[in-house]
Amino acid sequence: QVQLAESGGGSVESGGSLNISCVASGYTYGSFCMRWFRQAPGKEREGVASFSPDGNPIYRESVKGRFTISQDNAKNTLYLQMDNLKPEDTAMYYCAGDSGYHGGSCKPRYWGQGTQVTVSS
């Protein structure tokens, strides 16, 4: 059974940094793709960062230059380094994944429970 577990969220002031992570279990990470989403109160869930099938990072426009996605296949772990955080980054951050890329994208078939990131002004 695939399980995704996020950690590393917290409360920071505007301009601060956080590094959140997501550990996958029940599946071999090398054959599993993962990506980051977030959902702010009263808003729809949105994609934040992912990798293309050829390994290039993809970011939503509002986090480009501030967030960095990375992965450690040996540890089955996905990371999101978030720098220069802004109040509008406040949200529950989720990792999601699937058993590989299908149709050129990593579908969010499996979800973690999320980790809260709160940025105060």
Side-chain angles (χ1 to χ4, degrees):
Q1 181 179 357
V2 174
Q3 290 188 326
L4 304 178
E6 304 94 336
S7 63
S11 297
V12 296
E13 293 185 349
S14 182
S17 298
L18 283 173
N19 189 354
I20 59 177
S21 60
C22 176
V23 179
S25 60
Y27 216 97
T28 302
Y29 187 79
S31 60
F32 194 77
C33 66
M34 295 202 294
R35 57 188 296 185
W36 289 105
F37 289 82
R38 69 184 181 186
Q39 186 168 21
K43 295 187 177 181
E44 292 187 355
R45 192 169 296 184
E46 60 186 21
V48 177
S50 62
F51 287 104
S52 66
D54 57 1
N56 292 316
I58 302 171
Y59 302 98
R60 72 177 301 105
E61 190 64 33
S62 62
V63 308
K64 283 182 180 178
R66 300 188 298 119
F67 289 12
T68 303
I69 187 173
S70 63
Q71 59 190 20
D72 185 335
N73 289 354
K75 296 182 179 180
N76 291 358
T77 302
L78 182 73
Y79 301 97
L80 187 67
Q81 175 66 39
M82 303 181 290
D83 297 316
N84 191 21
L85 282 159
K86 303 176 180 181
E88 52 264 43
D89 295 317
T90 295
M92 184 71 78
Y93 283 71
Y94 299 90
C95 66
D98 199 1
S99 57
Y101 290 87
H102 304 289
S105 66
C106 179
K107 303 285 192 297
R109 178 180 178 187
Y110 303 97
W111 291 89
Q113 293 188 332
T115 186
Q116 178 68 38
V117 172
T118 302
V119 186
S120 59
S121 57

